Every structure is written in C-alpha cells, then in structure tokens.
Amino acid sequence: MKFLGKEIASPFVLASGILGISASSMLRAVRDGAGMVTTKSLSLTPRAGHDSPIIAEFDGGLTNSVGLTNPGIYEGLEEVEKYKRETDAPIIVSIFGRHIDDFAELAKLVNQSSADFIELNLSCPNVEDEFSRPFALDIHKVGKIVASVSRVTTIPFLTKLSPNAPNIIDIAKHAEEKGSHGATLINTLGHGMVIDIYTAKPVLKNHFGGISGPAIKPLAVKIVHDAYKRLNTPIIGTGGVTTGNDAIEMLMVGATTVGVGTAVYYRGVDVFKALDNELNAFIQQSEFTHWSELIGRVHRD
Ligand SMILES: Cc1cc2nc3c(=O)[nH]c(=O)nc-3n(C[C@H](O)[C@H](O)[C@H](O)COP(=O)(O)O)c2cc1C
C-alpha cells in the first residue's frame, strides 16, 4: 500500500512529539511495526519548553504541557539523515513557527533533506496574533502558511489541525485548496487541567495542557468522518487510538493511515506490533483481505 507515493508496511504512524527526534527511537518504532514515523515538531532555533511536571495522567488519557521542546531544525535534520540510512519507512518532519514566514523557511530546509514528508503543526501559540492564538484557529492564516509552503517545496506536506477550531473541516478544505497534500487530524484538545487533591494544586507545572488519549477518540473519529466527505487528499487519523479496534474505527470513517501517540505511553513502543496483530486478527475473521479495504467503509451503502 502506498501513502502519498511511498510504500508503507503498516497503517500505523508514530505521532509527533511522542518519541522525540532521535533516529534510534524512531527506528525502534519502525522495527516494532510502525509504517511511518513523525518527528517531534521542530522550530528554527532550539526551544527549552516548560518546566516539569509536563505530563499529567487522568482516567481517559493525558494532559501535556511539553511546550514544544526541541533542539531546532538543524540538529533534527541530522537525525533524519541517520534514520534514512537505516530504513525506507517514510519519515514525516513536523515543523512549527511562531511567525507565518517561519514555516516556509523551515519547509525549504526539510525539502533539501532526505525526509519523505513535512507536517505543519499549526497548533502552537503564534506571536502575530495579539491574543497569541494558534494559527490553526484562523482559516486565513492557515491558507497563507499552506500557500507559502507550497511555493517552496517539492515533497508532499500535510497540515495538522486543532479540534479547538469549530470550523476544522472548512479549514482542512481550505488548506487542501491552497496546496496541502493531506491532513493530520487531530492535535490535542483543550487545554484541560488535572488537580492533585492532596496538595490542592494543578499537577502540571504550567497548570494546564492539551488533552490526548482515549477521551478524545470519539471526537477524532467524528472529525475524520466529516473530513473524509470533504477532502480529496489522505488523512492521518490521530486521537486516542489504543487498540486494533480503535484503528479499525479510524480507518472505517476514512483515515488512510492511523496516528498513535498516547498509546505508546500506555503500552510501550511495541504497541505497534500489538496494533498490527490486533488489526490482522480482525481482517482474518472478516470478509476483507487487506486493511486498505477498510478505508472509508462507513460511507458506503
Ligand atoms: C507528550 C505529548 C507531546 C506532543 N508533542 C507534539 C508535537 O511536538 N507536535 C505535534 O504536532 N503534536 C504533538 N502532540 C500531539 C500528538 O501528536 C497527537 O496529535 C495527540 O496526542 C492525539 O493523539 P493521541 O491521543 O494518540 O496521543 C503531543 C502529544 C503528547 C501526548
């Protein structure tokens, strides 16, 4: 099965920010059954991120306020070269900027590397907005960024959007019209808070963070379902996928491939092997012969 022209061995994609940027940890995910990997989001210059604790667990998943910690695009791309020397499994380089123009500058650098795809993480606070709102909430800014990246790249790129935008489907369509080759849906929800009742304080040092994991899965499934009806480009369905059955839901509503993030915390890196086994067990007992036949099944009569 091909994804945007590249062969993938499984539908599972390591989501951005889960195993950092080191080639060795991303290769480990591939050895364990991931079809593709996404780097942690990279910026033009290194970023320290927020103080610990940066992850707080609750019954339905995690809240995180990592703060986009990363070593910067140059070091990140060195790891991409190391990764590509060892495997043909596609790698998606996630980039983010605080100014609209940062994205094209970053995309140019990724385009010159051995990376297979680029992912635009538009969910970080942007300094061009007086309220510091993420770009992903503003359809016009998303369009501008996508068009600017489209002008300077030859490798395909995906646009990762936020469920905090009530018009996320319109935004995804607009991104597609401006040149995006695919959508990654969704990034974390909220901010949410988790309180330590014994100290009567928020668990996260930063007080609140983005919500991920099983609690957001039905929302992600609905968004992918709606996006599939409007888009002509592939979707990486991401949000709360923890088991093979979750992945099957995601494929059936229209995801071409399935992002896996928080489940790596719950089940370890070998979650990819487990997900592959669970998906294949379903296929073997069904009328289907390959997972790609599940894509968009819900939309057929
Ligand atoms: C600890 C943590 C760090 C994350 N860092 C990033 C990031 O750097 N860039 C990004 O686009 N998404 C980031 N995400 C969001 C995930 O890639 C994913 O979109 C989201 O968590 C929903 O999927 P999940 O429920 O499978 O985790 C992060 C998520 C977590 C839990």
Side-chain angles (χ1 to χ4, degrees), residues 15-18 39-41 54-55 62 64 66 68-69 94 96 119 121 123 160 184 186-188 210-214 216 238-241 259-263 265:
S16 180
I18 304 302
T39 66
K40 169 127 200 86
S41 296
I54 51 173
I55 291 180
L62 304 175
N64 92 80
V66 173
L68 293 162
T69 316
S94 172
F96 78 96
E119 187 170 89
N121 174 10
S123 306
K160 185 168 183 179
T184 304
I186 54 178
N187 213 317
T188 50
I211 307 166
S212 63
I216 67 167
T238 309
V241 171
V260 181
T262 300
Y265 286 85

PDB file of all heavy atoms in Angstrom, residues 15-18 39-41 54-55 62 64 66 68-69 94 96 119 121 123 160 184 186-188 210-214 216 238-241 259-263 265, ligand 1:
ATOM      1  N   ALA A  15       2.978   9.272  16.112  1.00  0.00           N
ATOM      2  CA  ALA A  15       2.550  10.685  16.109  1.00  0.00           C
ATOM      3  C   ALA A  15       3.685  11.588  16.584  1.00  0.00           C
ATOM      4  O   ALA A  15       4.623  11.144  17.270  1.00  0.00           O
ATOM      5  CB  ALA A  15       1.328  10.845  17.016  1.00  0.00           C
ATOM      6  N   SER A  16       3.582  12.853  16.237  1.00  0.00           N
ATOM      7  CA  SER A  16       4.630  13.819  16.595  1.00  0.00           C
ATOM      8  C   SER A  16       4.712  14.036  18.109  1.00  0.00           C
ATOM      9  O   SER A  16       3.688  14.102  18.798  1.00  0.00           O
ATOM     10  CB  SER A  16       4.338  15.150  15.907  1.00  0.00           C
ATOM     11  OG  SER A  16       5.324  16.091  16.243  1.00  0.00           O
ATOM     12  N   GLY A  17       5.937  14.156  18.593  1.00  0.00           N
ATOM     13  CA  GLY A  17       6.148  14.558  19.987  1.00  0.00           C
ATOM     14  C   GLY A  17       6.188  13.421  20.972  1.00  0.00           C
ATOM     15  O   GLY A  17       6.372  13.642  22.165  1.00  0.00           O
ATOM     16  N   ILE A  18       6.057  12.182  20.495  1.00  0.00           N
ATOM     17  CA  ILE A  18       5.908  11.056  21.424  1.00  0.00           C
ATOM     18  C   ILE A  18       7.249  10.408  21.746  1.00  0.00           C
ATOM     19  O   ILE A  18       7.516  10.072  22.886  1.00  0.00           O
ATOM     20  CB  ILE A  18       4.910  10.017  20.842  1.00  0.00           C
ATOM     21  CG1 ILE A  18       3.570  10.702  20.522  1.00  0.00           C
ATOM     22  CG2 ILE A  18       4.733   8.825  21.756  1.00  0.00           C
ATOM     23  CD1 ILE A  18       2.899  11.385  21.697  1.00  0.00           C
ATOM     24  N   THR A  39       8.552  13.124  13.366  1.00  0.00           N
ATOM     25  CA  THR A  39       9.479  13.687  14.365  1.00  0.00           C
ATOM     26  C   THR A  39       8.702  14.565  15.334  1.00  0.00           C
ATOM     27  O   THR A  39       7.588  15.011  15.040  1.00  0.00           O
ATOM     28  CB  THR A  39      10.543  14.595  13.711  1.00  0.00           C
ATOM     29  OG1 THR A  39       9.879  15.746  13.159  1.00  0.00           O
ATOM     30  CG2 THR A  39      11.324  13.881  12.617  1.00  0.00           C
ATOM     31  N   LYS A  40       9.326  14.858  16.455  1.00  0.00           N
ATOM     32  CA  LYS A  40       8.814  15.924  17.319  1.00  0.00           C
ATOM     33  C   LYS A  40       8.813  17.195  16.481  1.00  0.00           C
ATOM     34  O   LYS A  40       9.626  17.353  15.564  1.00  0.00           O
ATOM     35  CB  LYS A  40       9.741  16.056  18.531  1.00  0.00           C
ATOM     36  CG  LYS A  40       9.503  17.267  19.388  1.00  0.00           C
ATOM     37  CD  LYS A  40       9.305  16.896  20.840  1.00  0.00           C
ATOM     38  CE  LYS A  40       8.591  17.999  21.600  1.00  0.00           C
ATOM     39  NZ  LYS A  40       7.158  17.946  21.528  1.00  0.00           N
ATOM     40  N   SER A  41       7.912  18.134  16.767  1.00  0.00           N
ATOM     41  CA  SER A  41       7.865  19.372  15.988  1.00  0.00           C
ATOM     42  C   SER A  41       9.158  20.160  16.190  1.00  0.00           C
ATOM     43  O   SER A  41       9.619  20.344  17.319  1.00  0.00           O
ATOM     44  CB  SER A  41       6.673  20.224  16.413  1.00  0.00           C
ATOM     45  OG  SER A  41       5.482  19.544  16.122  1.00  0.00           O
ATOM     46  N   ILE A  54       5.419  17.912  33.154  1.00  0.00           N
ATOM     47  CA  ILE A  54       4.834  18.336  31.877  1.00  0.00           C
ATOM     48  C   ILE A  54       3.763  17.361  31.399  1.00  0.00           C
ATOM     49  O   ILE A  54       3.105  17.618  30.400  1.00  0.00           O
ATOM     50  CB  ILE A  54       5.925  18.488  30.783  1.00  0.00           C
ATOM     51  CG1 ILE A  54       6.804  17.235  30.714  1.00  0.00           C
ATOM     52  CG2 ILE A  54       6.763  19.737  31.021  1.00  0.00           C
ATOM     53  CD1 ILE A  54       7.796  17.227  29.542  1.00  0.00           C
ATOM     54  N   ILE A  55       3.608  16.240  32.109  1.00  0.00           N
ATOM     55  CA  ILE A  55       2.559  15.287  31.728  1.00  0.00           C
ATOM     56  C   ILE A  55       1.765  14.904  32.971  1.00  0.00           C
ATOM     57  O   ILE A  55       2.355  14.609  34.015  1.00  0.00           O
ATOM     58  CB  ILE A  55       3.171  14.032  31.077  1.00  0.00           C
ATOM     59  CG1 ILE A  55       3.750  14.406  29.701  1.00  0.00           C
ATOM     60  CG2 ILE A  55       2.142  12.913  30.927  1.00  0.00           C
ATOM     61  CD1 ILE A  55       4.382  13.279  28.932  1.00  0.00           C
ATOM     62  N   LEU A  62      -4.130  11.683  28.880  1.00  0.00           N
ATOM     63  CA  LEU A  62      -3.081  12.545  29.439  1.00  0.00           C
ATOM     64  C   LEU A  62      -3.410  14.007  29.172  1.00  0.00           C
ATOM     65  O   LEU A  62      -4.121  14.322  28.210  1.00  0.00           O
ATOM     66  CB  LEU A  62      -1.737  12.275  28.736  1.00  0.00           C
ATOM     67  CG  LEU A  62      -1.164  10.859  28.706  1.00  0.00           C
ATOM     68  CD1 LEU A  62       0.106  10.850  27.843  1.00  0.00           C
ATOM     69  CD2 LEU A  62      -0.843  10.394  30.113  1.00  0.00           C
ATOM     70  N   ASN A  64      -0.826  17.305  28.540  1.00  0.00           N
ATOM     71  CA  ASN A  64       0.604  17.620  28.475  1.00  0.00           C
ATOM     72  C   ASN A  64       0.834  19.082  28.187  1.00  0.00           C
ATOM     73  O   ASN A  64       0.069  19.719  27.473  1.00  0.00           O
ATOM     74  CB  ASN A  64       1.322  16.729  27.455  1.00  0.00           C
ATOM     75  CG  ASN A  64       1.383  17.345  26.069  1.00  0.00           C
ATOM     76  OD1 ASN A  64       2.228  18.204  25.782  1.00  0.00           O
ATOM     77  ND2 ASN A  64       0.476  16.924  25.203  1.00  0.00           N
ATOM     78  N   VAL A  66       4.206  20.096  27.273  1.00  0.00           N
ATOM     79  CA  VAL A  66       5.622  19.925  26.970  1.00  0.00           C
ATOM     80  C   VAL A  66       6.230  21.266  26.551  1.00  0.00           C
ATOM     81  O   VAL A  66       7.375  21.575  26.880  1.00  0.00           O
ATOM     82  CB  VAL A  66       5.804  18.854  25.867  1.00  0.00           C
ATOM     83  CG1 VAL A  66       7.250  18.784  25.401  1.00  0.00           C
ATOM     84  CG2 VAL A  66       5.339  17.496  26.367  1.00  0.00           C
ATOM     85  N   LEU A  68       6.626  22.277  23.351  1.00  0.00           N
ATOM     86  CA  LEU A  68       7.347  22.179  22.077  1.00  0.00           C
ATOM     87  C   LEU A  68       8.872  22.228  22.235  1.00  0.00           C
ATOM     88  O   LEU A  68       9.581  22.845  21.445  1.00  0.00           O
ATOM     89  CB  LEU A  68       6.830  23.249  21.098  1.00  0.00           C
ATOM     90  CG  LEU A  68       5.375  23.019  20.655  1.00  0.00           C
ATOM     91  CD1 LEU A  68       4.771  24.296  20.075  1.00  0.00           C
ATOM     92  CD2 LEU A  68       5.262  21.885  19.650  1.00  0.00           C
ATOM     93  N   THR A  69       9.347  21.582  23.292  1.00  0.00           N
ATOM     94  CA  THR A  69      10.797  21.419  23.497  1.00  0.00           C
ATOM     95  C   THR A  69      11.404  20.764  22.262  1.00  0.00           C
ATOM     96  O   THR A  69      10.894  19.747  21.796  1.00  0.00           O
ATOM     97  CB  THR A  69      11.041  20.427  24.669  1.00  0.00           C
ATOM     98  OG1 THR A  69      10.160  20.750  25.716  1.00  0.00           O
ATOM     99  CG2 THR A  69      12.476  20.433  25.111  1.00  0.00           C
ATOM    100  N   SER A  94       7.903  17.136  11.332  1.00  0.00           N
ATOM    101  CA  SER A  94       6.924  18.121  11.817  1.00  0.00           C
ATOM    102  C   SER A  94       7.639  19.441  12.097  1.00  0.00           C
ATOM    103  O   SER A  94       8.698  19.463  12.735  1.00  0.00           O
ATOM    104  CB  SER A  94       6.272  17.594  13.093  1.00  0.00           C
ATOM    105  OG  SER A  94       5.475  18.611  13.671  1.00  0.00           O
ATOM    106  N   PHE A  96       7.162  23.758  13.190  1.00  0.00           N
ATOM    107  CA  PHE A  96       6.281  24.809  13.707  1.00  0.00           C
ATOM    108  C   PHE A  96       7.045  26.121  13.829  1.00  0.00           C
ATOM    109  O   PHE A  96       8.263  26.145  14.029  1.00  0.00           O
ATOM    110  CB  PHE A  96       5.673  24.435  15.067  1.00  0.00           C
ATOM    111  CG  PHE A  96       6.610  24.598  16.222  1.00  0.00           C
ATOM    112  CD1 PHE A  96       6.603  25.746  17.000  1.00  0.00           C
ATOM    113  CD2 PHE A  96       7.512  23.608  16.531  1.00  0.00           C
ATOM    114  CE1 PHE A  96       7.480  25.893  18.066  1.00  0.00           C
ATOM    115  CE2 PHE A  96       8.395  23.740  17.588  1.00  0.00           C
ATOM    116  CZ  PHE A  96       8.379  24.891  18.358  1.00  0.00           C
ATOM    117  N   GLU A 119       5.093  17.858   7.966  1.00  0.00           N
ATOM    118  CA  GLU A 119       3.799  18.104   8.637  1.00  0.00           C
ATOM    119  C   GLU A 119       3.858  19.497   9.248  1.00  0.00           C
ATOM    120  O   GLU A 119       4.800  19.816   9.978  1.00  0.00           O
ATOM    121  CB  GLU A 119       3.577  17.047   9.720  1.00  0.00           C
ATOM    122  CG  GLU A 119       2.203  17.106  10.373  1.00  0.00           C
ATOM    123  CD  GLU A 119       1.988  15.883  11.261  1.00  0.00           C
ATOM    124  OE1 GLU A 119       2.349  15.928  12.450  1.00  0.00           O
ATOM    125  OE2 GLU A 119       1.456  14.876  10.755  1.00  0.00           O
ATOM    126  N   ASN A 121       2.704  21.780  11.916  1.00  0.00           N
ATOM    127  CA  ASN A 121       1.996  21.824  13.199  1.00  0.00           C
ATOM    128  C   ASN A 121       1.579  23.271  13.438  1.00  0.00           C
ATOM    129  O   ASN A 121       2.406  24.107  13.797  1.00  0.00           O
ATOM    130  CB  ASN A 121       2.909  21.304  14.316  1.00  0.00           C
ATOM    131  CG  ASN A 121       2.268  21.468  15.681  1.00  0.00           C
ATOM    132  OD1 ASN A 121       1.078  21.793  15.787  1.00  0.00           O
ATOM    133  ND2 ASN A 121       3.039  21.253  16.733  1.00  0.00           N
ATOM    134  N   SER A 123      -0.592  24.308  15.617  1.00  0.00           N
ATOM    135  CA  SER A 123      -1.321  24.405  16.885  1.00  0.00           C
ATOM    136  C   SER A 123      -0.550  25.103  17.998  1.00  0.00           C
ATOM    137  O   SER A 123      -0.987  25.091  19.140  1.00  0.00           O
ATOM    138  CB  SER A 123      -1.707  23.003  17.341  1.00  0.00           C
ATOM    139  OG  SER A 123      -2.397  22.367  16.310  1.00  0.00           O
ATOM    140  N   LYS A 160      -1.516  19.735   9.993  1.00  0.00           N
ATOM    141  CA  LYS A 160      -2.085  19.169  11.224  1.00  0.00           C
ATOM    142  C   LYS A 160      -2.936  20.222  11.913  1.00  0.00           C
ATOM    143  O   LYS A 160      -2.462  21.329  12.200  1.00  0.00           O
ATOM    144  CB  LYS A 160      -0.972  18.701  12.151  1.00  0.00           C
ATOM    145  CG  LYS A 160      -1.500  17.989  13.388  1.00  0.00           C
ATOM    146  CD  LYS A 160      -0.394  17.289  14.117  1.00  0.00           C
ATOM    147  CE  LYS A 160      -0.903  16.512  15.314  1.00  0.00           C
ATOM    148  NZ  LYS A 160       0.166  15.813  16.012  1.00  0.00           N
ATOM    149  N   THR A 184      -3.513  15.914   8.888  1.00  0.00           N
ATOM    150  CA  THR A 184      -3.346  15.099  10.098  1.00  0.00           C
ATOM    151  C   THR A 184      -4.368  15.617  11.099  1.00  0.00           C
ATOM    152  O   THR A 184      -4.334  16.778  11.504  1.00  0.00           O
ATOM    153  CB  THR A 184      -1.910  15.214  10.655  1.00  0.00           C
ATOM    154  OG1 THR A 184      -0.997  14.854   9.624  1.00  0.00           O
ATOM    155  CG2 THR A 184      -1.711  14.293  11.854  1.00  0.00           C
ATOM    156  N   ILE A 186      -6.295  14.509  14.663  1.00  0.00           N
ATOM    157  CA  ILE A 186      -6.283  15.856  15.227  1.00  0.00           C
ATOM    158  C   ILE A 186      -5.087  16.015  16.169  1.00  0.00           C
ATOM    159  O   ILE A 186      -4.497  15.026  16.610  1.00  0.00           O
ATOM    160  CB  ILE A 186      -7.591  16.131  16.042  1.00  0.00           C
ATOM    161  CG1 ILE A 186      -7.784  15.038  17.097  1.00  0.00           C
ATOM    162  CG2 ILE A 186      -8.763  16.267  15.149  1.00  0.00           C
ATOM    163  CD1 ILE A 186      -9.014  15.212  17.993  1.00  0.00           C
ATOM    164  N   ASN A 187      -4.801  17.261  16.499  1.00  0.00           N
ATOM    165  CA  ASN A 187      -3.863  17.544  17.577  1.00  0.00           C
ATOM    166  C   ASN A 187      -4.620  17.447  18.911  1.00  0.00           C
ATOM    167  O   ASN A 187      -5.804  17.112  18.937  1.00  0.00           O
ATOM    168  CB  ASN A 187      -3.249  18.938  17.386  1.00  0.00           C
ATOM    169  CG  ASN A 187      -1.812  18.989  17.894  1.00  0.00           C
ATOM    170  OD1 ASN A 187      -1.522  18.451  18.959  1.00  0.00           O
ATOM    171  ND2 ASN A 187      -0.931  19.633  17.162  1.00  0.00           N
ATOM    172  N   THR A 188      -3.964  17.755  19.996  1.00  0.00           N
ATOM    173  CA  THR A 188      -4.595  17.641  21.319  1.00  0.00           C
ATOM    174  C   THR A 188      -5.766  18.622  21.472  1.00  0.00           C
ATOM    175  O   THR A 188      -5.832  19.641  20.793  1.00  0.00           O
ATOM    176  CB  THR A 188      -3.573  17.910  22.439  1.00  0.00           C
ATOM    177  OG1 THR A 188      -2.893  19.122  22.139  1.00  0.00           O
ATOM    178  CG2 THR A 188      -2.579  16.789  22.573  1.00  0.00           C
ATOM    179  N   GLY A 210      -2.673  20.205  26.800  1.00  0.00           N
ATOM    180  CA  GLY A 210      -3.513  19.595  25.763  1.00  0.00           C
ATOM    181  C   GLY A 210      -3.918  18.186  26.162  1.00  0.00           C
ATOM    182  O   GLY A 210      -3.117  17.440  26.729  1.00  0.00           O
ATOM    183  N   ILE A 211      -5.158  17.834  25.865  1.00  0.00           N
ATOM    184  CA  ILE A 211      -5.696  16.514  26.241  1.00  0.00           C
ATOM    185  C   ILE A 211      -5.520  15.539  25.081  1.00  0.00           C
ATOM    186  O   ILE A 211      -5.847  15.862  23.933  1.00  0.00           O
ATOM    187  CB  ILE A 211      -7.195  16.623  26.589  1.00  0.00           C
ATOM    188  CG1 ILE A 211      -7.422  17.705  27.655  1.00  0.00           C
ATOM    189  CG2 ILE A 211      -7.754  15.277  27.046  1.00  0.00           C
ATOM    190  CD1 ILE A 211      -8.881  18.109  27.815  1.00  0.00           C
ATOM    191  N   SER A 212      -5.026  14.342  25.403  1.00  0.00           N
ATOM    192  CA  SER A 212      -4.847  13.291  24.395  1.00  0.00           C
ATOM    193  C   SER A 212      -5.317  11.973  24.983  1.00  0.00           C
ATOM    194  O   SER A 212      -5.618  11.883  26.170  1.00  0.00           O
ATOM    195  CB  SER A 212      -3.370  13.205  24.005  1.00  0.00           C
ATOM    196  OG  SER A 212      -2.594  12.827  25.134  1.00  0.00           O
ATOM    197  N   GLY A 213      -5.355  10.952  24.134  1.00  0.00           N
ATOM    198  CA  GLY A 213      -5.702   9.618  24.624  1.00  0.00           C
ATOM    199  C   GLY A 213      -7.181   9.285  24.426  1.00  0.00           C
ATOM    200  O   GLY A 213      -7.917  10.028  23.765  1.00  0.00           O
ATOM    201  N   PRO A 214      -7.629   8.156  25.020  1.00  0.00           N
ATOM    202  CA  PRO A 214      -8.980   7.630  24.758  1.00  0.00           C
ATOM    203  C   PRO A 214     -10.099   8.669  24.889  1.00  0.00           C
ATOM    204  O   PRO A 214     -11.090   8.607  24.154  1.00  0.00           O
ATOM    205  CB  PRO A 214      -9.131   6.528  25.813  1.00  0.00           C
ATOM    206  CG  PRO A 214      -7.732   6.065  26.039  1.00  0.00           C
ATOM    207  CD  PRO A 214      -6.847   7.255  25.896  1.00  0.00           C
ATOM    208  N   ILE A 216     -10.346  11.570  23.815  1.00  0.00           N
ATOM    209  CA  ILE A 216     -10.606  12.372  22.605  1.00  0.00           C
ATOM    210  C   ILE A 216     -10.907  11.504  21.379  1.00  0.00           C
ATOM    211  O   ILE A 216     -11.139  12.028  20.293  1.00  0.00           O
ATOM    212  CB  ILE A 216      -9.438  13.349  22.283  1.00  0.00           C
ATOM    213  CG1 ILE A 216      -8.155  12.614  21.866  1.00  0.00           C
ATOM    214  CG2 ILE A 216      -9.156  14.268  23.467  1.00  0.00           C
ATOM    215  CD1 ILE A 216      -7.094  13.541  21.236  1.00  0.00           C
ATOM    216  N   THR A 238      -5.764  10.602  13.860  1.00  0.00           N
ATOM    217  CA  THR A 238      -4.984  10.574  15.102  1.00  0.00           C
ATOM    218  C   THR A 238      -5.845  11.057  16.258  1.00  0.00           C
ATOM    219  O   THR A 238      -6.516  12.094  16.144  1.00  0.00           O
ATOM    220  CB  THR A 238      -3.766  11.520  14.987  1.00  0.00           C
ATOM    221  OG1 THR A 238      -3.070  11.228  13.790  1.00  0.00           O
ATOM    222  CG2 THR A 238      -2.831  11.399  16.175  1.00  0.00           C
ATOM    223  N   GLY A 239      -5.800  10.349  17.366  1.00  0.00           N
ATOM    224  CA  GLY A 239      -6.521  10.794  18.560  1.00  0.00           C
ATOM    225  C   GLY A 239      -7.082   9.615  19.315  1.00  0.00           C
ATOM    226  O   GLY A 239      -8.116   9.067  18.916  1.00  0.00           O
ATOM    227  N   GLY A 240      -6.374   9.180  20.350  1.00  0.00           N
ATOM    228  CA  GLY A 240      -6.927   8.177  21.256  1.00  0.00           C
ATOM    229  C   GLY A 240      -6.830   6.745  20.794  1.00  0.00           C
ATOM    230  O   GLY A 240      -7.337   5.842  21.474  1.00  0.00           O
ATOM    231  N   VAL A 241      -6.178   6.494  19.665  1.00  0.00           N
ATOM    232  CA  VAL A 241      -6.110   5.102  19.195  1.00  0.00           C
ATOM    233  C   VAL A 241      -5.184   4.304  20.119  1.00  0.00           C
ATOM    234  O   VAL A 241      -4.007   4.617  20.251  1.00  0.00           O
ATOM    235  CB  VAL A 241      -5.610   5.035  17.726  1.00  0.00           C
ATOM    236  CG1 VAL A 241      -5.321   3.600  17.312  1.00  0.00           C
ATOM    237  CG2 VAL A 241      -6.634   5.676  16.804  1.00  0.00           C
ATOM    238  N   GLY A 259      -2.560   7.584  13.250  1.00  0.00           N
ATOM    239  CA  GLY A 259      -1.531   8.104  14.148  1.00  0.00           C
ATOM    240  C   GLY A 259      -1.675   7.499  15.544  1.00  0.00           C
ATOM    241  O   GLY A 259      -2.794   7.281  16.025  1.00  0.00           O
ATOM    242  N   VAL A 260      -0.535   7.238  16.177  1.00  0.00           N
ATOM    243  CA  VAL A 260      -0.544   6.652  17.527  1.00  0.00           C
ATOM    244  C   VAL A 260       0.392   7.472  18.415  1.00  0.00           C
ATOM    245  O   VAL A 260       1.577   7.598  18.119  1.00  0.00           O
ATOM    246  CB  VAL A 260      -0.060   5.179  17.490  1.00  0.00           C
ATOM    247  CG1 VAL A 260      -0.090   4.574  18.892  1.00  0.00           C
ATOM    248  CG2 VAL A 260      -0.919   4.365  16.531  1.00  0.00           C
ATOM    249  N   GLY A 261      -0.169   8.048  19.472  1.00  0.00           N
ATOM    250  CA  GLY A 261       0.621   8.878  20.367  1.00  0.00           C
ATOM    251  C   GLY A 261       0.585   8.365  21.789  1.00  0.00           C
ATOM    252  O   GLY A 261       1.440   7.584  22.227  1.00  0.00           O
ATOM    253  N   THR A 262      -0.452   8.753  22.516  1.00  0.00           N
ATOM    254  CA  THR A 262      -0.563   8.431  23.935  1.00  0.00           C
ATOM    255  C   THR A 262      -0.485   6.927  24.208  1.00  0.00           C
ATOM    256  O   THR A 262       0.027   6.515  25.260  1.00  0.00           O
ATOM    257  CB  THR A 262      -1.879   9.036  24.468  1.00  0.00           C
ATOM    258  OG1 THR A 262      -1.797  10.445  24.272  1.00  0.00           O
ATOM    259  CG2 THR A 262      -2.107   8.733  25.928  1.00  0.00           C
ATOM    260  N   ALA A 263      -0.942   6.109  23.261  1.00  0.00           N
ATOM    261  CA  ALA A 263      -0.917   4.650  23.471  1.00  0.00           C
ATOM    262  C   ALA A 263       0.504   4.149  23.667  1.00  0.00           C
ATOM    263  O   ALA A 263       0.721   3.109  24.298  1.00  0.00           O
ATOM    264  CB  ALA A 263      -1.579   3.938  22.294  1.00  0.00           C
ATOM    265  N   TYR A 265       2.660   5.586  25.532  1.00  0.00           N
ATOM    266  CA  TYR A 265       2.878   5.719  26.983  1.00  0.00           C
ATOM    267  C   TYR A 265       2.228   4.561  27.724  1.00  0.00           C
ATOM    268  O   TYR A 265       2.766   4.033  28.682  1.00  0.00           O
ATOM    269  CB  TYR A 265       2.289   7.032  27.506  1.00  0.00           C
ATOM    270  CG  TYR A 265       3.095   8.245  27.130  1.00  0.00           C
ATOM    271  CD1 TYR A 265       2.907   8.859  25.907  1.00  0.00           C
ATOM    272  CD2 TYR A 265       4.065   8.754  27.990  1.00  0.00           C
ATOM    273  CE1 TYR A 265       3.646   9.969  25.540  1.00  0.00           C
ATOM    274  CE2 TYR A 265       4.817   9.854  27.637  1.00  0.00           C
ATOM    275  CZ  TYR A 265       4.610  10.460  26.417  1.00  0.00           C
ATOM    276  OH  TYR A 265       5.362  11.532  26.066  1.00  0.00           O
TER     277      TYR A 265
HETATM  278  C1  LIG B   1       3.550  14.354  25.317  1.00  0.00           C
HETATM  279  C2  LIG B   1       2.987  14.800  24.008  1.00  0.00           C
HETATM  280  C3  LIG B   1       3.745  15.638  23.182  1.00  0.00           C
HETATM  281  C4  LIG B   1       3.238  16.051  21.949  1.00  0.00           C
HETATM  282  N1  LIG B   1       4.010  16.848  21.134  1.00  0.00           N
HETATM  283  C5  LIG B   1       3.547  17.185  19.898  1.00  0.00           C
HETATM  284  C6  LIG B   1       4.364  17.927  18.995  1.00  0.00           C
HETATM  285  O1  LIG B   1       5.525  18.261  19.264  1.00  0.00           O
HETATM  286  N2  LIG B   1       3.826  18.268  17.786  1.00  0.00           N
HETATM  287  C7  LIG B   1       2.561  17.902  17.406  1.00  0.00           C
HETATM  288  O2  LIG B   1       2.130  18.226  16.296  1.00  0.00           O
HETATM  289  N3  LIG B   1       1.774  17.171  18.247  1.00  0.00           N
HETATM  290  C8  LIG B   1       2.243  16.808  19.455  1.00  0.00           C
HETATM  291  N4  LIG B   1       1.446  16.046  20.285  1.00  0.00           N
HETATM  292  C9  LIG B   1       0.109  15.626  19.830  1.00  0.00           C
HETATM  293  C10 LIG B   1       0.117  14.205  19.252  1.00  0.00           C
HETATM  294  O3  LIG B   1       0.975  14.100  18.142  1.00  0.00           O
HETATM  295  C11 LIG B   1      -1.319  13.768  18.860  1.00  0.00           C
HETATM  296  O4  LIG B   1      -1.787  14.592  17.815  1.00  0.00           O
HETATM  297  C12 LIG B   1      -2.300  13.835  20.027  1.00  0.00           C
HETATM  298  O5  LIG B   1      -1.672  13.455  21.238  1.00  0.00           O
HETATM  299  C13 LIG B   1      -3.522  12.956  19.818  1.00  0.00           C
HETATM  300  O6  LIG B   1      -3.165  11.615  19.609  1.00  0.00           O
HETATM  301  P1  LIG B   1      -3.096  10.510  20.802  1.00  0.00           P
HETATM  302  O7  LIG B   1      -4.401  10.558  21.531  1.00  0.00           O
HETATM  303  O8  LIG B   1      -2.850   9.211  20.074  1.00  0.00           O
HETATM  304  O9  LIG B   1      -1.959  10.896  21.662  1.00  0.00           O
HETATM  305  C14 LIG B   1       1.940  15.630  21.532  1.00  0.00           C
HETATM  306  C15 LIG B   1       1.191  14.784  22.368  1.00  0.00           C
HETATM  307  C16 LIG B   1       1.696  14.363  23.579  1.00  0.00           C
HETATM  308  C17 LIG B   1       0.863  13.446  24.447  1.00  0.00           C
END
